Amino acid sequence: MFSAAPDAQAPVFHERNQGTIVQNLGLSHLSVEVGHFYMDELENGEEPIRTQFERVKPWLDAAKASAISGGERPRVSTCFLVDDYFQHWPDAPQIMEKLLRLSREAGVVIDYVARESACARRLDGFQTAELVATRLLEEPSPEGANGGRPPTSMSGWMSNGRPPRESHVLETMQAHGWEPAHEYGERNHSIYLDVELWDSQARPVGGDDGELGRRYSCPFLAAVWQLIRLGLLRQDGQPALKVTDFDGEWRKEWDQCPDIVKVNPNAQPFYAYRSLSIMPRTFLPIEHSVQNIINHFLPDPAVVESLERQAGAKNVPLPPVIADRLSHFFLAGGN
Amino acid sequence: MARTVGPSDPSGQRPQVVLGAVTTGLLNTSEPLPLEAARQALALLPGVSADWHRHPIEQVVSPDVFFGLDCRLAVPPGSGSQPRVIGTARARAVLTAGHILQGSARVEVLLDANRRRLPWAHYAARTGVVEAINKADPADLVTGFLRGAVDSTLLDLGKTGAYVMSLLDRAPQIDRRARLKTETGRLLWAVHVQDGVEPDSLVELRDDGMLRVRIGTPAELLPQFVEFCEILALHHWLLSALRNAFDRSTRSRRRRPEDELDPALSYLGHVWNPGAHLPHEMRGLWQRLENEAQLTWEWESTLTRVRDKVSLLTRKAIEETLHKEVV
């Protein structure tokens, strides 16, 4: 036995240089994404945009009324993600004017506008997407991972199981063997999903994404976007994408615009304990893929701890599983 | 160092057993890495910086990286079936004096958690924790793990640590021209978490050259115990590396003795200092180990032999030169 009791004399010398100290964020209880459009939809007529915002409105009101706040007065902020990664023209001022006007007329106040490109790479060149790509952990196969396997996937795909397999037939007489796909965490039956995270094609518009030469997929960038809203992506303890106040003028080029712009000066904080995305039903497969990506994302434990501490201090319930902090409402299709 | 281990499970369950391995080796560089370069090399994940000490010996600790696990845990023969565990292991790299690299991996084991494998999101939310889906006795898991049997179905944290070390091979700061031959040091440790008890520990060295440390301790002392194991692994490795270099210098026919002794002295001679970063709470345990194993005495005596030999070689060389001049 040895004694765990400290020596009689307390230590006088301390040198602890913690590389990263995680900053506490100002947090809303809920971040609501109020609709989504592809860039070509924003470029064209006003009517579909107006219609979507009108459909969003009652659900936004419902979201505000039902935000989980642990007894505090609910803080809800709204945001909109501009799809400028895959295609864009130098018309940011016109589009932003149209977007903010139509949403306002439909009674939907947009507090923050973010650029999807910033989820790949920030205005200052920092590779935001890398924060997620390097923290994705491939799901171990049942009884097939004892600790020596490299932790992340370099293939650019993320699945929740094993694909169907066809065995090679060596002799023509042998029966053709086939094994079905298998979801590792299945409940009775499998829903196997394999999501492409990036490919190696150059980005269609604008510069490439640095040395990696990756073109990120829509679900991957949407997963980055969700994690940003939840305050889980940090660079040196600070939010990976920062909020900039609107200076009254939109730059002509999208890639000159700040990563996240606060367009409503009276808005509640951008980052939130939970998120809700209201969007057309056609985005369901993308959001299913987002969930698959987020289920394999291992957050920095210090960031998790910081959020838990903040939530705990205010009695705000915060689910440990990240995907449980996300919610969606899918608007019906057609007109 | 500054990062924590221990009970972190969101469900409030506490691990009954914690298993770990420390792998130690020489960083493959001709000269020690300066602190600034080391901090860059050990920032293994973007967005998070490495922790570091400057005094009394430079040390840099990487952020934790995580590994997915679904495997079996060893139990002693005759103790029933090996429990299956699912979850993640955490591992970090530790670089001391810019030259001695360690991969330190560990996993907290929750028993009686769930009966089947759950969707992966459940495990991703409990980083560094595995859940056993069959019944198991904590004492059996400790004994089974420390046997150190290698089997592709069993947890192998030594491999995890070695993988983390290999991440540094790619760092641009590494010139891959170390002049000293060393062997990889291996240490396995296992904790039976017992609240309200005095920590009770045993350090064992078997003829496979692997150190084994077992301890029963309350959860609060886990982070300090992990550091204790890293410090023990480092110093055991230093001792072996110096002794092996000395042995080679007396035996090798192909290399001159000074080719073994010079790098050993310049790489290792200044590094011994077990008290340097030893947590306050572990000083008593280290002292007891010193009393019995006398590691510091052995280091000093080996170092003296190395330096004596260098002196003798120097004198011989001077005499030979003088002799030539006289002739």
Side-chain angles (χ1 to χ4, degrees):
Chain A
M1 290 287 217
F2 73 95
S3 168
D7 300 344
Q9 289 186 321
V12 291
F13 178 66
H14 258 286
E15 194 206 8
R16 287 249 182 259
N17 298 304
Q18 213 174 320
T20 294
I21 295 166
V22 174
Q23 184 203 9
N24 277 0
L25 295 180
L27 289 161
S28 286
H29 297 109
L30 183 67
S31 155
V32 187
E33 182 176 11
V34 289
H36 192 70
F37 300 95
Y38 288 114
M39 191 51 108
D40 52 358
E41 295 171 308
L42 289 175
E43 306 276 349
N44 296 319
E46 297 196 351
E47 224 27 58
I49 302 176
R50 192 194 309 274
T51 308
Q52 192 181 112
F53 281 126
E54 282 168 355
R55 288 184 177 176
V56 164
K57 169 77 169 111
W59 301 109
L60 172 61
D61 293 340
K64 284 179 178 166
S66 62
I68 297 168
S69 67
E72 282 190 293
R73 203 171 67 83
R75 297 186 299 275
V76 178
S77 66
T78 64
C79 56
F80 188 90
L81 184 69
V82 177
D83 182 12
D84 70 331
Y85 185 67
F86 291 97
Q87 49 167 306
H88 61 244
W89 289 273
D91 54 0
Q94 295 91 312
I95 290 203
M96 286 316 304
E97 182 279 322
K98 183 158 81 175
L99 190 74
L100 293 175
R101 174 170 48 83
L102 293 173
S103 60
R104 199 171 46 239
E105 286 170 9
V108 173
V109 176
I110 295 177
D111 294 333
Y112 300 91
V113 176
R115 292 184 306 114
E116 193 176 26
S117 291
C119 296
R121 190 165 75 159
R122 269 186 342 211
L123 200 55
D124 65 3
F126 178 79
Q127 307 272 333
T128 322
E130 274 292 279
L131 294 177
V132 176
T134 51
R135 287 191 173 273
L136 287 182
L137 188 62
E138 231 175 275
E139 194 164 332
S141 60
E143 304 206 35
N146 70 339
R149 224 163 64 133
T152 47
S153 154
M154 295 312 293
S155 65
W157 287 79
M158 179 55 74
S159 78
N160 64 351
R162 177 179 63 61
R165 279 197 285 229
E166 264 180 271
S167 59
H168 289 285
V169 184
L170 295 174
E171 289 175 49
T172 43
M173 294 305 286
Q174 219 170 356
H176 202 73
W178 182 78
E179 271 182 83
H182 172 51
E183 177 192 358
Y184 292 149
E186 69 179 358
R187 187 179 271 274
N188 302 322
H189 296 87
S190 284
I191 301 172
Y192 174 70
L193 181 65
D194 204 352
V195 179
E196 187 169 20
L197 308 175
W198 58 77
D199 60 23
S200 52
Q201 289 186 41
R203 228 183 92 184
V205 185
D208 69 300
D209 281 313
E211 293 154 28
L212 296 167
R214 286 174 180 170
R215 184 181 65 162
Y216 293 103
S217 69
C218 187
F220 184 83
L221 294 178
V224 175
W225 166 237
Q226 294 281 8
L227 294 168
I228 291 274
R229 289 163 68 196
L230 294 172
L232 283 160
L233 285 195
R234 308 289 180 97
Q235 185 205 6
D236 281 328
Q238 311 265 340
L241 291 188
K242 290 210 174 90
V243 173
T244 308
D245 286 333
F246 184 50
D247 62 3
E249 195 190 340
W250 294 97
R251 310 291 175 280
K252 207 163 166 237
E253 303 279 351
W254 284 106
D255 51 18
Q256 304 287 307
C257 295
D259 302 322
I260 304 171
V261 185
K262 184 177 183 180
V263 289
N264 173 14
N266 303 318
Q268 296 289 347
F270 170 78
Y271 311 97
Y273 292 115
R274 295 171 193 249
S275 74
L276 163 66
S277 292
I278 305 174
M279 50 180 54
R281 187 199 52 82
T282 46
F283 290 101
L284 194 149
I286 290 181
E287 293 301 318
H288 180 204
S289 307
V290 166
Q291 179 183 290
N292 188 46
I293 295 168
I294 285 180
N295 282 346
H296 295 86
F297 171 78
L298 271 80
D300 180 355
V303 173
V304 171
E305 226 181 273
S306 153
L307 291 172
E308 278 171 358
R309 238 190 346 257
Q310 282 185 267
K314 300 283 182 188
N315 289 319
V316 179
L318 187 65
V321 172
I322 298 172
D324 288 342
R325 302 178 193 178
L326 269 60
S327 55
H328 294 87
F329 186 85
F330 293 104
L331 302 163
N335 283 311
Chain B
M1 207 157 94
R3 299 185 196 280
T4 56
V5 290
S8 55
D9 189 76
S11 63
Q13 282 174 297
R14 314 243 283 179
Q16 292 96 324
V17 175
V18 187
L19 307 172
V22 186
T23 311
T24 308
L26 189 71
L27 184 68
N28 196 1
T29 51
S30 50
E31 294 302 325
L33 223 52
L35 185 60
E36 200 42 50
R39 285 177 55 203
Q40 283 169 15
L42 270 83
L44 297 178
L45 292 169
V48 193
S49 308
D51 295 344
W52 83 100
H53 284 294
R54 193 185 294 275
H55 303 290
I57 288 180
E58 288 180 358
Q59 189 173 64
V60 182
V61 181
S62 79
D64 287 342
V65 287
F66 297 96
F67 289 70
L69 294 176
D70 185 336
C71 59
R72 300 268 168 181
L73 293 183
V75 290
S79 314
S81 64
Q82 300 166 328
R84 177 181 165 197
V85 291
I86 303 143
T88 57
R90 74 172 70 210
R92 63 186 184 181
V94 182
L95 184 67
T96 306
H99 227 155
I100 298 137
L101 180 62
Q102 297 181 288
S104 177
R106 62 180 178 271
V107 67
E108 297 164 28
V109 185
L110 279 183
L111 300 172
D112 304 320
N114 289 289
R115 286 294 165 84
R116 64 176 189 97
R117 175 163 161 163
L118 300 176
W120 185 245
H122 172 83
Y123 304 104
R126 291 155 176 80
T127 45
V129 175
V130 290
E131 296 183 359
I133 58 174
N134 334 74
K135 288 234 170 288
D137 175 13
D140 282 346
L141 297 184
V142 167
T143 309
F145 180 74
L146 290 180
R147 284 166 61 87
V150 177
D151 179 328
S152 62
T153 61
L154 293 175
L155 176 68
D156 188 348
L157 290 174
K159 237 199 242 171
T160 316
Y163 178 77
V164 171
M165 289 168 76
S166 76
L167 290 176
L168 267 85
D169 292 344
R170 284 181 248 148
Q173 297 89 343
I174 310 298
D175 67 12
R176 295 163 171 272
R177 286 164 56 197
R179 298 192 304 277
L180 179 67
K181 222 169 76 182
T182 59
E183 282 167 24
T184 303
R186 293 179 303 154
L187 179 149
L188 293 181
W189 57 264
V191 173
H192 185 179
V193 182
Q194 291 163 307
D195 288 330
V197 300
E198 276 284 288
D200 184 14
S201 152
L202 180 70
V203 180
E204 228 186 320
L205 181 65
R206 293 189 203 159
D207 56 7
D208 58 5
M210 185 148 61
L211 272 172
R212 289 155 169 96
V213 188
R214 71 168 74 211
I215 193 170
T217 181
E220 302 81 71
L221 286 178
L222 273 171
Q224 291 88 335
F225 178 68
V226 173
E227 289 184 47
F228 171 86
C229 290
E230 289 167 354
I231 290 166
L232 174 59
L234 173 77
H235 287 85
H236 185 250
W237 179 87
L238 277 175
L239 195 49
S240 311
L242 188 64
R243 217 172 31 211
N244 290 343
F246 183 80
D247 289 349
R248 284 196 305 272
S249 78
T250 60
R251 275 196 236 115
S252 174
R253 298 229 172 103
R254 281 177 293 124
R255 297 186 74 187
R256 298 180 305 157
E258 50 269 41
D259 293 339
E260 298 287 355
L261 299 178
D262 289 2
L265 270 183
S266 68
Y267 285 10
L268 315 174
H270 61 294
V271 184
W272 189 273
N273 187 353
H277 306 126
L278 190 67
H280 209 54
E281 299 86 344
M282 291 290 133
R283 289 182 189 270
L285 177 57
W286 186 270
Q287 198 47 57
R288 282 191 54 209
L289 187 65
E290 273 290 352
N291 293 346
E292 290 169 33
Q294 304 212 10
L295 298 171
T296 299
W297 180 88
E298 192 178 348
W299 168 261
E300 278 164 4
S301 103
T302 311
L303 193 59
T304 307
R305 285 183 85 188
V306 171
R307 288 190 172 140
D308 286 350
K309 182 144 189 192
V310 171
S311 304
L312 293 172
L313 288 168
T314 312
R315 199 183 71 187
K316 209 168 132 196
I318 294 170
E319 280 174 359
E320 278 171 6
T321 314
L322 289 174
H323 183 66
K324 274 180 205 159
E325 282 172 7
V326 170
V327 171

